């Protein structure tokens, strides 16, 4: 199959490289010439474990290539995937679909007759209908099927998620388009990954419902963590105690500083907007969005509390800045709210992150970026475990305590065990324990 990916960002690049690895012939297109030049030189625009090797191998095999020329790329394609960004529209939280619609028009102009256009970008219910309308208006003589095929990739684990998905969702009622998608995903089908065919609108909604549900699960356990702190419970035991119930399941029950990233915050907001537009309230998701916003700010207060309530003139070291490990993504990272609260309260902040400091420096210009965890902690009154990178799981806590000026350790990811931390002489604050 010849597959074209429009948009060589996170989703387009990972999906394109994985499709090529399955043996399809893939061309990744992007308007950003600098990005395409870099990709041709095997320089990835994002940090994602294993992606550079996957890209290099498939470029070498001649099944993956990069171009800025959409017209040339789509000629002869069986399927053209739209994987462009859908950021939150400034001001109102609606997903900004201008890139999707612009791509649809260009594709319709350039595609061969009888081509499948697949929307992989996360788009609100009904977007596929509009893409179809644009295609019909732009190229009335061509038969173009518009299909929804949402992605469920986690940053940092995207290649594995792509190759071993829990399910593949395809929204289309066109039988010939379903056949094309079935063929594209056949390598996964053989691994027994279920492929679910639904209507296009249902498929669009599944993506939002999945992310909103996961955000709800995290927010639920975060609030249980707060309650544990008040009543003397242990949230990790609560998570285990409920997670062993197969109806609940053990995953996404790690209490922390609140969810961040490019997906949950944006997608929950977009779902609220869709629900409002259709006068069908999603009150649980509304509560989740509010609780998560409040939580990120509360984490700053938690750190200040561990400093005795006054951060003025104090130095705070933060380990991990990205919204989760194994990514350099800083979008909506809880660290941003924590740093803001600390600097507002008069503290100076130093930090170390294995991959995220370049991105973080753009958003947090006042933070002193250190060379490593110990360098960040030198002379600090408090140490905050912000993101649970593997590199922070086995720190020499005694050494850490020796080089610090104070003894507060605030572990917002429950990486450490209270007994181990106490032995090193720290005053330990964690989440829900
Ligand atoms: C999420 C979904 O997990 C993917 O299935 C989906 O495809 C993706 O959004 C998307 O829409 O593109 P991602 O944002 O990469 O993936 O990261 P997650 O691993 O889901 O984590 C999101 C946030 O929740 C992070 O801030 C993480 O620290 C937090 N989290 C996650 C918790 O606080 N506790 C948990 O138990 C799990």
């Amino acid at each position: 199959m010849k597959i074209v990916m429009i948009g060589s960002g996170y989703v387009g690049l990972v999906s394109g490289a994985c499709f090529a690895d399955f043996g399809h012939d893939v061309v990744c297109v992007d308007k950003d010439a600098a990005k395409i030049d870099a990709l041709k030189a095997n320089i990835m625009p994002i940090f994602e474990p294993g992606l550079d090797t996957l890209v290099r191998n498939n470029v070498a095999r001649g099944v993956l290539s990069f171009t800025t020329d959409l017209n040339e790329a789509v000629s002869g394609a069986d399927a053209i995937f739209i994987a462009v960004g859908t950021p939150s529209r400034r001001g109102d939280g609606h997903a900004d679909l201008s890139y999707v619609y612009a791509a649809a028009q260009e594709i319709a102009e350039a595609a061969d007759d009888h081509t499948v256009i697949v929307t992989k970008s996360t788009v609100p219910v009904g977007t596929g209908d509009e893409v179809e309308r644009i295609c019909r208006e732009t190229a009335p003589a061509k038969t173009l099927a518009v299909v929804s095929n949402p992605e469920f990739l986690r940053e940092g684990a995207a290649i594995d998620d792509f190759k071993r998905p829990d399910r593949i969702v395809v929204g289309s009622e066109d039988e010939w388009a379903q056949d094309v998608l079935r063929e594209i995903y056949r390598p996964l089908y053989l691994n027994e990954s279920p492929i679910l065919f639904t209507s296009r609108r249902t498929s669009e909604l599944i993506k939002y419902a999945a992310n909103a549900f996961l955000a709800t699960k995290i927010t639920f356990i975060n609030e249980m963590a707060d309650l544990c702190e008040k009543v003397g419970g242990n949230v990790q035991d609560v998570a285990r105690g409920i997670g062993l119930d197969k109806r609940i399941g053990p995953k996404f029950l790690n209490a922390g500083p609140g969810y961040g990233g490019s997906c949950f915050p944006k997608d929950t907001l977009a779902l609220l907007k869709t629900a409002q537009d259709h006068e069908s309230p999603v009150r649980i998701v509304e509560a989740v969005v509010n609780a998560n916003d409040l939580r990120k700010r509360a984490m700053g207060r938690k750190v200040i509390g561990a400093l005795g309530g006054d951060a003025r003139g104090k130095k705070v070291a933060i380990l991990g800045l990205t919204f989760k490990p194994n990514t350099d993504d800083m979008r909506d990272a809880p660290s941003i709210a924590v740093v803001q609260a600390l600097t507002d309260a008069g503290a100076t902040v130093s930090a170390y992150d294995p991959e995220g400091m370049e991105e973080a420096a753009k958003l947090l210009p006042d933070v002193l970026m250190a060379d490593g965890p110990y360098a960040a902690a030198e002379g600090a009154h408090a140490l905050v475990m912000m993101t649970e990178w593997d590199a922070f799981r086995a720190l020499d806590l005694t050494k850490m305590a020796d080089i610090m000026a104070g003894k507060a350790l605030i572990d917002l990811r429950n990486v450490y065990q209270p007994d181990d931390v106490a032995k090193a002489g720290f005053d330990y604050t964690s989440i829900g324990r």
Side-chain angles (χ1 to χ4, degrees):
M1 288 262 151
K2 178 175 174 187
I3 296 173
V4 179
M5 282 285 156
I6 308 296
S8 300
Y10 191 78
V11 172
L13 193 53
V14 170
S15 308
C18 288
F19 279 141
D21 214 44
F22 291 159
H24 297 307
D25 192 2
V26 180
V27 185
C28 290
V29 181
D30 204 288
K31 281 195 173 352
D32 182 343
K35 187 189 267 182
I36 291 297
D37 285 344
L39 281 166
K40 284 180 178 168
N42 203 246
I43 299 166
M44 301 298 113
I46 45 153
F47 172 76
E48 178 64 31
L51 185 60
D52 49 355
T53 311
L54 194 71
V55 168
R56 190 184 314 113
N57 291 347
N58 286 292
V59 169
R61 290 200 305 129
V63 288
L64 177 63
S65 60
F66 301 99
T67 181
T68 53
D69 188 342
L70 183 145
N71 279 330
E72 197 186 299
V74 302
S75 157
D78 296 290
I80 303 166
F81 284 75
I82 300 179
V84 298
T86 54
S88 275
R89 206 161 63 189
R90 232 171 251 279
D92 66 1
H94 267 294
D96 178 352
L97 298 172
S98 53
Y99 302 107
V100 173
Y101 294 150
Q105 188 171 349
E106 280 187 66
I107 293 166
E109 278 162 10
D112 296 347
D113 190 16
H114 222 70
T115 304
V116 180
I117 300 174
V118 191
T119 310
K120 226 184 205 328
S121 304
T122 299
V123 292
V125 180
T127 304
D129 300 355
E130 179 61 12
V131 169
E132 188 171 277
R133 193 196 61 74
I134 292 170
C135 289
R136 224 181 292 120
E137 192 180 279
T138 310
K142 294 180 192 172
T143 304
L144 302 170
V146 177
V147 175
S148 157
N149 171 223
E151 54 84 16
F152 302 103
L153 311 176
R154 282 165 307 162
E155 290 186 23
I159 293 170
D160 202 53
D161 283 351
F162 194 96
K163 292 192 165 182
R164 275 167 281 279
D166 289 340
R167 78 308 204 180
I168 301 145
V169 175
V170 175
S172 169
E173 276 148 15
D174 278 317
E175 269 179 39
W176 68 275
Q178 287 184 6
D179 287 344
V180 170
L181 269 290
R182 207 177 269 119
E183 184 58 23
I184 288 173
Y185 282 108
R186 197 166 48 90
L188 291 177
Y189 211 33
L190 297 177
N191 293 349
E192 296 185 353
S193 299
I195 185 161
L196 180 70
F197 290 97
T198 69
S199 77
R200 193 166 55 205
R201 284 182 164 239
T202 303
S203 164
E204 289 167 340
L205 187 56
I206 286 171
K207 166 70 192 203
Y208 284 97
N211 274 1
F213 193 87
L214 291 170
T216 303
K217 212 173 169 189
I218 296 166
T219 306
F220 177 84
I221 203 68
N222 283 342
E223 292 200 322
M224 287 302 120
D226 289 347
L227 190 55
C228 280
E229 288 176 18
K230 293 275 162 55
V231 302
N234 179 326
V235 74
Q236 286 177 310
D237 291 340
V238 172
R240 209 170 136 67
I242 63 173
L244 284 168
D245 185 326
K246 289 194 182 63
R247 292 168 303 176
I248 296 173
K251 293 185 182 162
F252 273 65
L253 287 177
N254 294 319
Y259 61 77
S262 65
C263 303
F264 289 170
K266 168 173 80 74
D267 294 349
T268 44
L269 275 185
L271 183 60
L272 290 188
K273 291 292 166 193
T274 302
Q276 271 168 17
D277 288 351
H278 294 271
E279 291 178 29
S280 177
V282 284
R283 296 183 189 91
I284 291 173
V285 184
E286 247 167 68
V288 165
V289 168
N290 289 335
N292 196 63
D293 279 348
L294 293 174
R295 183 168 191 82
K296 289 187 197 172
R297 280 183 263 155
M299 292 300 113
R301 290 197 295 278
K302 194 175 176 91
V303 177
I304 295 167
L307 282 165
D310 186 4
R312 244 171 311 155
K314 303 267 173 64
K315 178 179 171 183
V316 179
I318 297 188
L319 298 188
L321 292 166
T322 51
F323 82 98
K324 64 181 228 175
N326 298 322
T327 175
D328 59 355
D329 201 335
M330 280 296 296
R331 282 176 286 179
D332 272 309
S335 65
I336 299 170
V338 170
V339 168
Q340 182 77 55
L342 289 171
T343 44
D344 285 354
T348 56
V349 179
S350 62
Y352 171 71
D353 187 284
E355 293 292 338
M357 292 198 291
E358 205 179 309
E359 282 305 308
K362 297 176 197 162
L363 299 166
L364 305 169
D366 296 332
V367 172
L368 183 82
M369 300 293 171
D371 287 343
Y374 300 100
E378 207 152 331
H381 299 90
L383 182 67
V384 181
M385 194 63 64
M386 192 75 229
T387 314
E388 70 280 28
W389 286 89
D390 281 347
F392 303 148
R393 287 176 185 272
L395 295 172
D396 182 340
L397 292 177
T398 312
K399 175 176 165 190
M400 197 60 105
D402 284 347
I403 58 175
M404 285 175 56
K407 293 286 169 278
L409 172 54
I410 305 97
D411 182 356
L412 300 181
R413 300 285 185 170
N414 290 344
V415 169
Y416 284 96
Q417 289 307 321
D419 291 350
D420 299 341
V421 181
K423 269 186 226 144
F426 276 108
D427 295 328
Y428 186 56
T429 310
S430 61
I431 298 282
R433 299 189 297 183

